[in-house]
């Protein structure tokens, strides 16, 4: 078969070096062996690749036509060899990241930029899962790293690196019934300005992005007695935007909706609206990290 794994780098070496002797020095071979190998390749292809009438061989039109595919094949072979060596050194078959859906709008992909330059053939898998589910995927070994909000309590099984902070705000549609009632009372002069109380929020519908397991609920953000649950922040946005409920969502996620007037930050009497939490990349201490996961954590720390 023409163009074996050995002949491709030989062909490219002659193209790049401009002569059989220079290509031979580059490859650590004698010039006659290089010249004979090219002649054999030409015979097998039934094509003239180099014009030998001058002092140095000149690539033919056929050689230039074959060059792009030859370079692509050489890059793929190099990548294949690199991947095999990296797997031998402990590189994961793929790196799986589990991300809380509310954090998908953050700059979570930035640390991947340098990682993919160092491991260009590494497949990346991203799973969006509510925080409790993301951590469960982590501890089950299904994910290598999880991007989640700070946990209410430390877990000795987990290591973590802070990535930043995110502020959760209570939002609702301006058309939400409870807000319309507050506006009506203000217009009637019964209040100095339209505001809601914690008790009013507790008495109406709240939507919460949470695990599919009802037992896995973060009590820090449960206010209302009538609680709607979803495992999707997009579903929560739709429910809140439709005026069916209010809920806590990351400010970065809802800023554009607030700016357009589709949503509003809930003005709550006597307390400020907003809870700032740290955002962490978490890994399991109970499992040895692969090469990519270790490097990912190192890049996080360098940032």
């Amino acid at each position: 078969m023409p163009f074996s794994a050995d002949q491709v780098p030989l062909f490219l070496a002659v193209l790049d070096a401009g002569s059989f002797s220079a290509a031979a020095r580059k490859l650590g071979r004698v010039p006659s062996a290089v010249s004979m190998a090219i002649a054999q390749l030409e015979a097998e292809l039934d094509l003239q690749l180099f014009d030998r009438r001058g002092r140095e061989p000149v690539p033919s039109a056929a050689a230039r036509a074959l060059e792009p595919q030859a370079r692509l094949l050489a890059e793929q072979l190099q990548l294949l060899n690199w991947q095999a060596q990296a797997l031998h050194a402990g590189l994961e078959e793929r790196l799986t990241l589990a991300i809380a859906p509310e954090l998908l709008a953050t700059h979570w992909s930035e640390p991947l930029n340098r990682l993919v330059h160092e491991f260009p053939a590494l497949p990346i898998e991203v799973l969006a899962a509510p925080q409790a589910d993301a951590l469960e995927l982590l501890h089950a070994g299904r994910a290598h790293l999880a991007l989640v909000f700070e946990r209410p309590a430390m877990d000795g099984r987990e290591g973590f690196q802070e990535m930043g902070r995110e502020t959760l705000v209570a939002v609702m549609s301006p058309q939400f019934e409870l807000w319309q009632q507050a506006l009506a009372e203000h217009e009637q002069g019964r209040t100095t300005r339209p505001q809601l109380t914690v008790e009013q929020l507790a008495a109406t519908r709240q939507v919460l992005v949470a695990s599919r397991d009802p037992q896995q609920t973060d009590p820090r953000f449960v206010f209302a007695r009538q609680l709607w649950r979803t495992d999707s922040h997009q579903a929560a946005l739709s429910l809140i935007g439709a005026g069916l409920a209010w809920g806590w969502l990351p400010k970065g996620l809802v800023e554009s909706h607030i700016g357009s007037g589709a949503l509003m930050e809930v003005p709550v009497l006597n307390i400020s609206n907003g809870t700032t939490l740290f955002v962490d990349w978490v890994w399991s201490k109970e499992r040895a990290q692969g090469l990519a996961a270790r490097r990912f954590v190192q890049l996080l720390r360098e940032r």
Side-chain angles (χ1 to χ4, degrees), residues 182-246:
L183 288 176
E185 291 179 0
H186 173 65
E187 290 173 358
Q188 294 168 8
R190 296 166 59 184
T191 59
T192 57
R193 56 179 175 170
Q195 281 186 313
L196 299 174
T197 65
V198 172
E199 291 74 20
Q200 285 175 305
L201 290 177
T204 191
R205 290 184 299 274
Q206 176 189 354
V207 62
L208 181 71
V209 181
S211 169
R212 297 179 183 181
D213 181 359
Q215 303 303 316
Q216 298 285 348
T217 302
D218 190 337
R220 292 175 295 179
F221 298 101
V222 176
F223 277 62
R225 291 184 288 274
Q226 187 178 357
L227 192 66
W228 290 8
R229 301 169 61 95
T230 177
D231 62 356
S232 164
H233 70 282
Q234 290 294 344
L237 269 173
S238 296
L239 292 169
I240 295 170
L244 295 172
W246 69 274

Side-chain angles (χ1 to χ4, degrees), residues 10-30:
L10 177 72
F11 170 63
L12 292 175
V14 177
L15 281 176
D16 293 338
S19 71
F20 295 135
S21 57
R25 288 193 297 272
K26 181 178 179 181
L27 297 172
R29 301 171 67 173
V30 296

Side-chain angles (χ1 to χ4, degrees), residues 49-187:
L49 299 177
F50 296 93
D51 185 344
R52 297 169 175 77
R53 289 176 295 183
R55 290 187 57 188
E56 303 295 350
V58 177
S60 67
R64 291 303 185 192
L66 293 171
E67 181 182 0
Q69 289 299 323
R71 292 197 184 280
L72 179 61
L73 181 57
E75 290 174 3
Q76 291 175 332
L77 286 171
Q78 185 179 25
L79 195 60
L80 177 63
N81 289 327
W82 175 89
Q83 183 78 349
Q85 294 169 1
L87 288 170
H88 179 71
L91 183 70
E92 300 87 336
E93 293 182 10
R94 70 174 179 273
L95 182 67
T96 300
L97 310 176
I99 300 176
E102 305 99 313
L103 296 174
L104 288 171
T106 65
H107 301 295
W108 60 269
S109 62
E110 288 183 358
L112 287 175
N113 288 334
R114 287 179 60 187
L115 188 73
V116 297
H117 283 299
E118 296 180 23
F119 304 105
L122 174 68
I124 302 293
E125 180 183 32
V126 178
L127 305 176
Q131 176 146 329
D133 295 343
L135 291 171
E136 185 175 333
L137 290 171
L138 181 74
H139 291 296
R142 178 63 181 85
H144 300 97
L145 295 153
L147 181 63
V148 294
F149 291 105
E150 62 180 89
R151 280 71 65 217
M154 297 292 292
D155 188 329
R157 301 173 299 164
E158 298 171 0
F160 68 93
Q161 175 63 42
E162 178 189 321
M163 190 189 79
R165 303 181 184 189
E166 182 61 272
T167 299
L168 292 174
V169 293
V171 293
M172 63 174 52
S173 166
Q175 306 306 315
F176 190 44
E177 182 179 3
L178 184 62
W179 180 244
Q180 290 297 312
Q181 292 174 358
L183 288 176
E185 291 179 0
H186 173 65
E187 290 173 358

Side-chain angles (χ1 to χ4, degrees), residues 251-290:
K251 194 164 187 177
L253 178 66
V254 298
E255 275 183 328
S256 62
H257 299 274
I258 293 172
S260 69
L263 296 179
M264 56 175 282
E265 292 188 39
V266 181
V268 187
L269 184 65
N270 295 333
I271 64 171
S272 59
N273 183 353
T275 300
T276 299
L277 298 176
F278 289 104
V279 176
D280 299 327
W281 281 105
V282 183
W283 58 91
S284 172
K285 293 180 178 179
E286 297 179 332
R287 289 181 171 79
Q289 287 185 317

